[in-house]
Amino acid sequence: MNEKQITLVEKPVKINLESEYARGQSISEFRPYKTLADYPVHRIAVKFNYDAFIDDFESIMKGG
């Protein structure tokens, strides 16, 4: 995927592993605090060019 077509942000993310009903739920800290939650930081796509994504996906799947 062409990362020039994506807006990425780095935020702390926690995956819920304990709850019976929310197992696998991703929790991300987007509030504007100076000190963020102590979760591992991941790059999150918050905006992307959908048409470019489809073109890239089709090209990759066709082996091009």
Side-chain angles (χ1 to χ4, degrees), residues 27-45:
I27 301 168
S28 209
E29 181 65 83
F30 279 85
R31 295 176 288 183
Y33 291 106
K34 291 182 181 181
T35 304
L36 297 176
D38 188 26
Y39 303 149
V41 174
H42 295 272
R43 295 183 328 151
I44 303 167

Side-chain angles (χ1 to χ4, degrees), residues 1 5 9-13 18-19 25 32-33 39 46 50-51 54 57 60:
M1 180 69 202
Q5 300 291 334
V9 295
E10 290 189 355
K11 296 289 181 181
V13 176
E18 293 86 34
S19 173
Q25 178 183 25
Y33 291 106
Y39 303 149
V46 293
Y50 185 78
D51 293 329
I54 294 299
F57 180 81
I60 291 166

